[in-house]
Amino acid sequence: MSYILVADVGGTKLATALFHQNLQIINKKEVASDKTNREALFTCLLKSFQDLCEEQQISFEQIAKVAVGVPGIVDPKQGIAVFQNNIPWESFPLSNRLGEIFPHAQIKVDNDVYMATWGEYQARTFSKETMVYMTLSTGISCCTIVNGEFVRGAGFAGEIGFNPVEANGQTLEESVAGPAIEERGRKLLQKPEMTLKDMMLLYYQGNEQVTQMMKQLIHHISAQLQHIILLLDPHCVVLGGGFFNHHPIIVERIQEELQQRFAKTIFAGKEQVIECSMNKGDAGLYGGL
């Protein structure tokens, strides 16, 4: 009997899951990503895999396949984590390193957003449709699937976080990603220990300062989505990642702004292609599977 291990490595958390060969989930874990250095993060990954297996009394020799999603630029053919903003795995030969631990397993390494996108695509039983997945958490990125194939370009497709959105050249990720929102909120409210979760509680309570911050976020995201919709005319745009998954009301506000942007044009109604994630926080795990 053989099994499949899947990991979704993020800048904040590391999620892993053990699946049976019939694709049924057996167990999953979530731990904080140890970003001390590249080896510490790799050890963190292996420890999570080991804990999953030991709890089910499964040996590494019984693992037939391993899939790992990694943020940033990835060389999926060589299994190399090329470049990341949020984890210390630049030019890290992940497939080779995993192959030393799992010598009999098939190893698959790809961008984490691509894996999550594939999970959402499969969840909707799409095959020929065009779908865009945008994630907002520690970072921000997107991925496109057309006719069941990823649009990879020359290797940098989907890195919308680098788009400048402010007059001073500040990028989308520097403006609206989780850490950026926290930093801006702490300065604005003069509360250095405040978390994003605390800020969103204030948002739901109607705090004017946080509401203005969220309006700016919604404006920047809506502008990006408007460009994407006009360029690709996708059947579906999924908004996922920790922030959107925990705050679907923001997705609704984005839809409302897009409705205003498209009103009285031939594109009126295109905001209806915006959807929340179906797999939520497990999108990367099921996509990897």
Side-chain angles (χ1 to χ4, degrees), residues 136-139 173 176-183 196 243:
L136 175 58
S137 52
T138 308
E173 185 162 310
V176 306
I181 302 171
E182 276 193 339
E183 182 180 358
L196 179 56
F243 184 77

Side-chain angles (χ1 to χ4, degrees), residues 259-284:
Q259 182 180 32
Q260 295 175 7
R261 288 171 177 263
F262 289 135
K264 299 180 180 180
T265 75
I266 194 173
F267 306 103
K270 286 295 183 181
E271 73 282 350
Q272 295 176 20
V273 303
I274 305 294
E275 297 182 9
C276 291
S277 167
M278 293 177 67
N279 289 322
K280 304 299 182 183
D282 292 334

Side-chain angles (χ1 to χ4, degrees), residues 88-139:
W89 268 356
E90 185 172 348
S91 301
F92 191 72
L94 187 54
S95 281
N96 287 343
R97 294 294 300 275
L98 288 171
E100 295 171 359
I101 309 298
F102 303 96
H104 305 297
Q106 178 184 352
I107 311 293
K108 177 67 176 178
V109 173
D110 208 333
N111 174 271
D112 59 343
V113 179
Y114 279 60
M115 285 193 170
T117 304
W118 188 249
E120 293 293 327
Y121 198 78
Q122 291 293 305
R124 290 165 173 77
T125 65
F126 285 166
S127 59
K128 298 296 183 181
E129 291 81 356
T130 296
M131 190 192 88
V132 177
Y133 176 85
M134 179 187 288
T135 179
L136 175 58
S137 52
T138 308

Side-chain angles (χ1 to χ4, degrees), residues 136-234:
L136 175 58
S137 52
T138 308
I140 183 167
S141 182
C142 75
C143 173
T144 304
I145 297 178
V146 179
N147 290 326
E149 298 288 340
F150 289 122
V151 176
R152 294 187 182 272
F156 287 85
E159 293 298 331
I160 60 171
F162 291 94
N163 279 346
V165 295
E166 302 283 4
N168 61 4
Q170 193 172 48
T171 66
L172 184 65
E173 185 162 310
E174 291 169 340
S175 298
V176 306
I181 302 171
E182 276 193 339
E183 182 180 358
R184 184 173 300 177
R186 288 167 179 172
K187 290 180 180 178
L188 186 65
L189 299 168
Q190 297 184 343
K191 294 183 178 181
E193 302 301 322
M194 179 167 278
T195 65
L196 179 56
K197 182 178 180 180
D198 297 329
M199 293 172 200
M200 292 309 296
L201 286 174
L202 290 176
Y203 174 73
Y204 293 123
Q205 293 167 6
N207 180 277
E208 185 175 346
Q209 291 173 302
V210 178
T211 297
Q212 288 302 315
M213 284 178 50
M214 288 302 110
K215 283 184 177 179
Q216 185 179 35
L217 178 147
I218 290 163
H219 173 76
H220 286 322
I221 296 296
S222 298
Q224 296 294 319
L225 291 173
Q226 182 180 19
H227 295 320
I228 289 170
I229 291 171
L230 292 176
L231 176 67
L232 298 172
D233 192 19

